[in-house]
Amino acid sequence: MKGSGFMGRFLATLVICCAVLVCRTAAQTHDSRAAEVDANGNCTEVLGAQEKPTVDPPTTQPPEPPQNPPVTEAKTETDRFTLSHERYEKAVAYSRAGYAVYFLWVGLGLAAAWLFLRLGIVAKIRDFAERLTEHRLLQGLIFIPILIIGVEICELPALLYWHSLSLRYAQSVQSWGSWSLDWAKEEALFLGAAMLFGSILLWLIRRSPRRWWTFFWLCALPIVIFMVFISPWFIDPLFNKYEPLDKTNPELVSAIEKVTRRAGLSIPRDHMFLMRASNKTNQINAYVTGVGASKRVVVWDNTIRKTTLDETLFIFGHEAGHYVLGHVRNGIMFFALAFFVAMYLCYRVVNFSLENWGGEWRIYGPQDLACLAVLLLLFKIFSFLSMPVESAFSRAEEHSADVFGLEVIHGIVPNSGEVAAHAFQVLGQEDLSDPNPPPFITFWLYSHPPLADRLVFAHSYDPWAKRQEPKYIK
């Protein structure tokens, strides 16, 4: 229902990766893309008369369950997202703090990249690299990591504060030592990608001053697709432990096979995995990752522990929708188009920037090694400004997956709409989802429709009773 770790963040900010590697965003991650939040999709007509999520009076609400145990007690009706007063206050505080941290993180990155140029730090790093060696490739391999590490350190306070918030609100159980190790691994991967893409970019700018942006797009795209392909095998296991779902939960796999048969889908049992998320988080999640032979469905152990079997089947049905509807492929195609546009804009804007401020920055043209820092700043700006488009695209896909999940379990799971609605109730309660996200935040950040909207839609979606034809499962 959300996205996966490093690659989710990598793809969400891939544009940044490719310029300096230019290498960084989100993500959320999670199907997320970077600071993972849920957001609004293509269900305006269906949700036109929906109720707003409410807070039950504390006097009528039963005692809140312990922090980690399942919260899947049967309910007669789940027609709206409802939280106890205490849980509501926590959800609002946690989610609103997350929004602020995201914009703080973006602001720190932009400010760092700008100040590095404005104060001449970038020129000094270039001069340092040129003093060490006359070999242009080696100069780039010295310059790029120093620049990236410098900007990353400036962004680090926002990441540290976010993890402290996650610990305070019991969303994370990851120790600071484990978190620091994961951060170091992620930075090492980004630095490696940055040096690869940055070296290619420098070479192309010097070889083809007018067409470098096109050639770089052509070179970078297959490398990115290859990284997506190998991620489930080589990158994801660096951060989490995965086990075959058939080994840990064979009864769930047998139930899942009923769903896959109804979907006309063939997902081999060895392409279904359990992720030991409970070592680091209390949240619930599942996602599809990889392409081709590496494509797989991943279910977090928290999801199985905190939801019923039927609710887990709906969550799997949602992920199967991503699988059947080709959302990984669509995401790569969307990225390819966005990346092409970003490269063209960089080509047009970088010369203008150097003409106006190059002398002040001590950067003497596009072929100057220090020009990579200008491209980094531009890509950060473009990545931030394109976030609403990326979020809208993701919300549309997530809504489609919700519809698919509802349709594929119909007839397999009794009272499937109520089961799906209650699954969202559990997800929102456990993950402290914002009951009423501000419209601007939904527009700008949410990669999923707001959870309250998803719950109401799941409860009300019933084409069979209305003698209408389902959209995906005929």
Side-chain angles (χ1 to χ4, degrees):
M1 290 225 184
K2 300 178 185 173
S4 64
F6 168 76
M7 285 309 299
R9 182 181 172 205
F10 179 82
L11 285 176
T13 62
L14 184 59
V15 176
I16 298 176
C17 295
C18 291
V20 124
L21 116 181
V22 211
C23 182
R24 277 184 91 19
T25 249
Q28 38 128 12
T29 201
H30 294 29
D31 184 40
S32 141
R33 302 184 164 44
E36 179 67 17
V37 279
D38 294 344
N40 196 348
N42 289 338
C43 42
T44 306
E45 182 177 349
V46 178
L47 298 175
Q50 75 179 48
E51 297 182 71
K52 290 292 184 181
T54 62
V55 184
D56 292 346
T59 56
T60 62
Q61 181 73 22
E64 190 175 341
Q67 193 169 339
N68 289 328
V71 286
T72 57
E73 295 85 355
K75 297 184 67 168
T76 56
E77 194 78 1
T78 310
D79 61 350
R80 57 186 177 174
F81 182 34
T82 306
L83 296 173
S84 70
H85 180 76
E86 180 182 357
R87 203 74 178 171
Y88 179 91
E89 295 295 331
K90 286 183 177 180
V92 170
Y94 178 69
S95 56
R96 304 300 163 92
Y99 308 148
V101 171
Y102 166 76
F103 287 105
L104 172 64
W105 175 73
V106 171
L108 289 174
L110 290 172
W114 169 254
L115 288 174
F116 276 28
L117 289 166
R118 180 69 178 80
L119 300 178
I121 297 174
V122 167
K124 292 178 181 178
I125 299 173
R126 176 204 59 206
D127 295 344
F128 172 74
E130 291 179 346
R131 283 197 301 270
L132 289 181
T133 177
E134 295 182 357
H135 195 286
R136 287 189 169 185
L137 175 60
L138 294 180
Q139 289 173 356
L141 294 180
I142 295 170
F143 175 87
I144 293 170
I146 296 176
L147 174 65
I148 294 294
I149 291 173
V151 174
E152 293 290 297
I153 290 175
C154 293
E155 296 173 338
L156 186 57
L159 301 179
L160 293 171
Y161 182 59
W162 176 246
H163 184 59
S164 69
L165 278 174
S166 299
L167 291 171
R168 185 190 312 169
Y169 285 91
Q171 294 300 290
S172 175
V173 294
Q174 187 177 19
S175 69
W176 279 104
S178 173
W179 183 90
S180 299
L181 181 60
D182 280 355
W183 181 82
K185 292 177 186 176
E186 194 169 318
E187 294 310 308
L189 290 170
F190 272 110
L191 284 176
M195 288 188 284
L196 171 63
F197 284 100
S199 298
I200 294 173
L201 184 57
L202 278 172
W203 184 79
L204 289 173
I205 290 174
R206 289 162 177 166
R207 294 279 297 187
S208 181
R210 294 178 59 85
R211 293 286 180 265
W212 60 265
W213 62 276
T214 306
F215 294 136
F216 181 67
W217 180 81
L218 291 172
C219 291
L221 204 56
I223 298 175
V224 169
I225 294 173
F226 177 72
M227 293 180 72
V228 175
F229 176 73
I230 66 170
S231 175
W233 293 327
F234 300 106
I235 298 178
D236 293 351
L238 295 175
F239 301 93
N240 292 286
K241 182 179 179 181
Y242 296 84
E243 301 175 52
L245 192 60
D246 193 26
K247 176 182 176 182
T248 59
N249 299 84
E251 70 290 344
L252 175 59
V253 174
S254 298
I256 282 174
E257 287 181 329
K258 297 179 182 178
V259 177
T260 58
R261 283 196 296 268
R262 178 168 171 74
L265 177 65
S266 176
I267 302 180
R269 295 172 78 99
D270 61 359
H271 281 219
M272 303 178 194
F273 287 84
L274 177 81
M275 191 181 99
R276 295 292 180 185
S278 58
N279 296 329
K280 297 181 179 180
T281 181
N282 285 323
Q283 294 187 321
I284 297 172
N285 196 7
Y287 60 88
V288 170
T289 187
V291 293
S294 71
K295 187 183 287 186
R296 61 192 57 197
V297 174
V298 177
V299 181
W300 289 12
D301 59 344
N302 289 339
T303 303
I304 297 174
R305 182 165 57 88
K306 296 184 179 184
T307 60
T308 65
L309 175 62
D310 287 347
E311 290 165 356
T312 301
L313 287 181
F314 165 68
I315 293 171
F316 174 83
H318 171 100
E319 298 308 323
H322 287 306
Y323 208 104
V324 173
L325 301 176
H327 287 171
V328 174
R329 176 205 61 212
N330 296 346
I332 292 174
M333 293 174 63
F334 176 82
F335 162 74
L337 177 60
F339 183 38
F340 182 85
V341 172
M343 289 307 307
Y344 175 72
L345 290 175
C346 271
Y347 168 69
R348 302 297 298 183
V349 176
V350 70
N351 288 327
F352 172 82
S353 300
L354 293 178
E355 287 174 5
N356 286 273
W357 301 292
E360 181 182 345
W361 296 339
R362 291 175 51 213
I363 299 176
Y364 307 115
Q367 297 184 9
D368 190 324
L369 176 63
C371 185
L372 286 180
V374 182
L375 290 172
L376 173 62
L377 175 61
L378 293 177
F379 268 90
K380 281 184 172 290
I381 294 172
F382 296 155
S383 179
F384 175 67
L385 295 179
S386 66
M387 183 62 71
V389 178
E390 179 187 338
S391 297
F393 175 82
S394 176
R395 288 196 301 271
E397 290 202 326
E398 293 299 334
H399 177 66
S400 297
D402 281 348
V403 174
F404 187 95
L406 287 162
E407 292 181 358
V408 79
I409 66 170
H410 181 75
I412 296 175
V413 172
N415 201 9
S416 55
E418 171 62 22
V419 166
H422 192 250
F424 285 128
Q425 172 67 35
V426 175
L427 177 66
Q429 182 167 324
E430 289 295 294
D431 291 5
L432 292 180
S433 298
D434 192 341
N436 288 297
F440 171 77
I441 293 296
T442 298
F443 164 76
W444 199 276
L445 285 181
Y446 269 38
S447 61
H448 296 58
L451 190 133
D453 291 359
R454 300 174 77 187
L455 187 155
V456 173
F457 177 77
H459 183 80
S460 61
Y461 183 72
D462 192 0
W464 307 275
K466 301 173 184 176
R467 300 184 182 279
Q468 298 172 350
E469 188 175 72
K471 186 174 183 179
Y472 299 114
I473 307 296
K474 308 303 182 182

